[in-house]
Each structure stands twice: as structure tokens, then as C-alpha cells.
Amino acid sequence: MFNQNPRVCITFIGETKIPENFSNEELNIIVKDEANAGIITSKVFITEFESAVVFGKVKLVENEAEKTNTLRLVCEKYTLTKMDYFPMVVKSGLNITSVYSIEIEEITAKRKKYGKNGEELKWGKKE
């Protein structure tokens, strides 16, 4: 499939969470006035997120050292405590494992994050 059309788009998702901008007591006061519906919508039913989208061309990695190094990086991230067994795993599975790289042509990214006061941190602003 990649030989016929190597163009790809991949989305990477970083940290996500639902911020707690108000206590339950504060929310119970806010909802007493229907005019506050916008506050509930914009500051309660929200998600903080960070993501990046990569566009590019995918290619099969055929160099054994590059494949091994790539697999090592993945395994160190997800199975760090089992790395003593990595040499055996690579030896037994490298020839049946495909590794691909992406020649990046474009990256876009965005985030939504809230500060301690419940206000959105826009334009890369940090607390």
C-alpha cells in the first residue's frame, strides 16, 4: 500500500485532561442563574489537550542497525524494566518486523490549556 501511495498524515496526542475550574459548591451557585450557561459550557465541559499533525511520505527502513535502534527507543519508552531481554527479542523478531520512517513535509500543532484561575492560556502563554 505504501509503495502505491507513500503520503501519510499522522496525529500525535499528548497530555489530555478535564480541568477542574470550579468546586461543586461554586458550580451549584453558578447554575442557579440560567444566564451562566456560557460559563458552564466554556469552562466546565472542556478538555485540555495538546496535539501535532504530521504530513509526509513514509518509507520502509531496511537498514538493520536503524531498525534495531528504532525498536530500542520504543521498547525503552514502554518496557524499560524489561530491556535486559531486548537482545533476545530483537534477534528473534527483527527479520519479521517492519519499521517505517516518515519524511516530514509539514507539521501543525495546537493545544488548549487552562491556568489556575480557570482562564484559557492562549497564544503559548504559560503560568
Side-chain angles (χ1 to χ4, degrees), residues 12-17 47-51 110-113:
F12 298 90
I13 306 297
E15 182 179 346
T16 62
K17 74 175 191 172
T47 304
E48 290 187 342
F49 63 87
E50 54 191 24
S51 64
K110 63 182 182 174
R111 73 160 192 176
K112 181 173 277 216
K113 190 169 177 93

Side-chain angles (χ1 to χ4, degrees), residues 84-97:
D84 289 346
Y85 310 105
F86 180 77
M88 179 193 295
V89 170
V90 166
K91 185 177 179 182
S92 69
L94 192 64
N95 63 340
I96 59 170
T97 303

